[in-house]
Amino acid sequence: PIQAAANKLKDEIETYGNPPKFPEEDPEVRAKMEAEIAAAKAAKAAASENKAKGGKTKLVQKTGTGIVRQWNILAKMVPPDEIPQFVDPYHWLSYFPPIGVEHLKNFG
């Protein structure tokens, strides 16, 4: 999982820059994406009226969309200027374990 997250972050930085400018942050693009999602839901609902209805996935419930960016996940835990260092999977192993140890000590 660490290598996959590092690779995803690396791809996001290469594609969208550092700091990234994600397309869904643009209100026009976001509105278009939400319209596409709504149209897909309507088509799926029309096609499966006889089937058991499932709720939204956890991802959609938590984020409002199906788009989750590694940069945004790390931004909740790490200062933004340190995020680019996480393209190296070994940096994850030196950064987070001491925090985990500290949390365990506080836990008791």
Side-chain angles (χ1 to χ4, degrees):
I2 294 171
Q3 181 69 54
N7 289 343
K8 185 175 179 182
L9 180 64
K10 182 179 178 182
D11 290 340
E12 288 176 5
I13 291 173
E14 288 174 357
T15 304
Y16 302 111
N18 181 14
K21 300 288 185 207
F22 297 121
E24 62 270 12
E25 291 174 356
D26 180 13
E28 293 176 9
V29 173
R30 185 166 187 90
K32 181 180 176 185
M33 292 171 70
E34 289 174 352
E36 289 173 358
I37 291 171
K41 283 183 187 177
K44 185 177 178 183
S48 63
E49 287 182 350
N50 297 343
K51 294 183 182 178
K53 296 182 180 180
K56 294 181 179 180
T57 64
K58 280 187 178 183
L59 178 67
V60 173
Q61 288 175 351
K62 289 181 179 180
T63 63
T65 67
I67 300 171
V68 177
R69 303 287 186 181
Q70 191 65 41
W71 183 281
N72 296 337
I73 294 169
L74 284 171
K76 295 176 183 175
M77 299 181 280
V78 178
D81 57 324
E82 293 184 26
I83 293 175
Q85 298 173 16
F86 286 91
V87 298
D88 176 19
Y90 292 107
H91 184 69
W92 293 69
L93 298 175
S94 64
Y95 188 88
F96 287 111
I99 295 171
V101 168
E102 189 61 33
H103 286 191
L104 286 174
K105 286 179 182 176
N106 292 340
F107 187 63

